[in-house]
Amino acid sequence: MLGRGVKRKWSCLEELELLPGAAVPEEKRQNLAAGGGHDPSMSRLQQRQLVLSLCVEKLQHYQAGVELSLRRSVLLINTLRQIQEEMRSDGTGTCTPEVLLHGVDPDSYLLTDDMSVTCSGCAEGDMESLSLSPPASPEPASQDAEQQKPLPTAVSNTLSDAGSAGGYLSDLALDDIFEDIDTSMYESSDLLSAWAAGSLWPVTSSLWWDEDMKLRPAGHSSAGSLQSCLMDLNELDHIMEVLVKS
Amino acid sequence: MRVPVLHKQLGPSHRQGEVEKRTVSVGSPGRVARTLDCAACLLSGASDAVIIAPRAADTEAPSPPAPPRSISDWLWRRQCGCGAPNASLFTRLPAPEKMKCFSRYLPYLFRPPSTILSSTCHTEADIISTVEFNSTGELLATGDKGGRVVVFQREQESKTQPHRRGEYNVYSTFQSHEPEFDYLKSLEIEEKINKIKWLPQQNAAYFLLSTNDKTVKLWKISERDKRPEGYNLKDEDGRIRDPSTITSLRVPVLQPMDLMVEATARRIFSNAHTYHINSISVNSDLQTFISTDDLRVNLWNLEITDRSFNIVDIKPANMEELTEVITSAEFHPQQCHTFAYSSSKGSIRLCDMRLAALCDKHCKYFEEPEDPATRSFFSEIISSISDVKFSHNGRYLMTRDYLTVKVWDLQMENKPVETYQVHDYLRGKLCSLYENDCIFDKFECVWNGSDSVIMTGSYNNFFRMFDRNTKRDVTLEASRENSKPRAILKPRKVCVGGKRRKDEISVDSLDFSKKILHTTWHPYENIIAVAATNNLYIFQDKVN
């Protein structure tokens, strides 16, 4: 099953590549980086996987306090969607349905397809969440507790998409969309929702700041990256020190 | 097409012009540093940061000053991971050994203590972000990442030295935009100048529009070479005279003084853009202009700052459906009702403002169907148009996407009439360019005065020129090592495979951090200005 809060490693890709007896993915990746995208020995699947993980990485990584470029985000998400489409058309033929999510929501497609990649080569123990950052402290979650209720499902399904459907959210009324998704495995831990609250929220609010999104607490969107969430405590001390001095 | 000659190379220290050279002062613990001194850091005087070093000249390796012993307990020095020689970072608290510097600072108090206060290895504020000749070619404006505008003026040609054609010297320097903080979104607004556009000269003063991500400003640059003297109520030092001591009246007389060039902001056009402004364009009617961000185009009147009209809005009702953004827009050079805007999907739309108030329906739609043979994961990203320029005669449009420059005839929408490969050797490296984000670089393109040659930039400080008539092209390099003043530029060549000849450079040795994104061409003569990171190169035709 999906693990929680663990960054996906290359292990899935490793399993995949060990089958045809190809080289270790780490080297492959370096070859890619050095030799360019048209390495003839690299299969389209490997390149696709690399591009996919880069996409997600880029969408999730951002600097606190700096507004993201909308053009860049849109291009990344379109690329992600294109890969998603391709994986969907490739992957459904080879994957066993029982490990696929029952939800046919478009947001969950990416998750589904990644599971299909893993299940074709991996043991079941390798089902790890995609690119999950370390869980944030509970502080940001408590700030937004009331607004997170409709979101945890959407968030966990779409987090690997980071920027796709979840990132486009402009209002919070998502209950009706995600009703049919079996969410039992996602609501199992407080940690997951806390992490989801901590990590997706800054992503969505930074990616697509919408002038209509007045409901979002300004304080939370300023929390910025996870690192800054974790450093909140340090900051508080620092702030108190400054305030006391002045 | 003549081969250009290096005319002048101006580094950041040359561009200081009238900007006051500032000194360094360092505060002691527990007291804020009083003066605002590192021009690179632009830290405010009231901040609790410590100013470290004056801006390093780009010719010498910066030598970081040793922090005084009294503050060593709270000021830590770290090696920056950027690899520049003697690169030092100064932080308030212990930080990981290898940090990367960032010269952008956060202007509010609650910055996490382990970030950097200052660095000696990068002066990011000097990176030139736009260059533009004015309509006569007499003035050249550059905008940089630090929000400054530097204007160069061409010297009058002197009869005594006919072989020395007019050189460009610093005429005026001013701070156009300051960094701002958007409190609602808790995001900082960069002061980087995205675009400068000149207004045609109508009187003795010069006017230009400069914009950062959110605000457009109209600047007036005027000269003052006379000063009134002989006031009745003030004496020569400016002190008010006691009225009872005035026994006679006199008329103040204008006396000559040293030439002073002053820039004043005449209009500020703000609060009209939610997203980042990527381009501005002055209309041929000289009364209006458009400013364009990712999703909207707004029409302004130059006289009115509190209102603007939104003429294009591609924002979908549901942001989830957003797949395309506007990347650039420009007015037609002669028809004041026509403008074109380009998109991230490789299409251009031509709109007529007479048809409707909201120009959502285009008149013409230019897009080339994709070649299925070259389709890859990056097809969409490299098709994103980064610049669109009308030709001077108004019959053609030029667009720049990541690998090519295309010339479109306004009468033919289904394909461009000419396509030029700028650096097709990068097609095999798209994956690594995607990884290091270079694939998102936005290159500009420019026509020459007669629309016969087009020019655009590339990596490794290369820029390319294409002659539309002879179909010949040349690659040139803007770099200090290879160019001495008045030296003729040598054409460069990139080796794409097989044996590398002596002068060629192989694709893998290209430096992707040295990119030429901004270039401009004199409206009448063969003079070009090329911005290479923080250096400005001006090239002219060789005079025999």
Side-chain angles (χ1 to χ4, degrees), chain A residues 33 36-37 47 55 58 65 67 70-72 74 76 78-79 81-82 168 208-211 222 235 239, chain B residues 110 185-188 274 294 296 315 319-320 322-323 375 377 380-381 384 428 432 434-435 437 440:
Chain A
Q47 190 189 35
C55 253
K58 282 179 195 299
E67 213 168 336
L70 189 64
R71 167 187 169 259
R72 184 186 133 101
V74 166
L76 285 171
N78 288 347
T79 309
R81 278 195 176 144
Q82 181 194 337
Y168 287 118
W208 272 276
W209 181 266
D210 198 332
E211 54 219 344
S222 71
E235 263 190 287
I239 292 166
Chain B
F110 306 139
K185 301 185 207 170
S186 294
L187 292 171
E188 57 171 275
T274 310
D294 291 317
R296 298 189 174 100
K315 181 168 176 238
M319 280 294 268
E320 287 186 35
L322 180 66
T323 54
R375 180 149 181 80
F377 297 115
E380 182 172 331
I381 300 182
S384 168
S432 39
Y434 176 73
E435 214 169 337
D437 267 3
F440 297 106

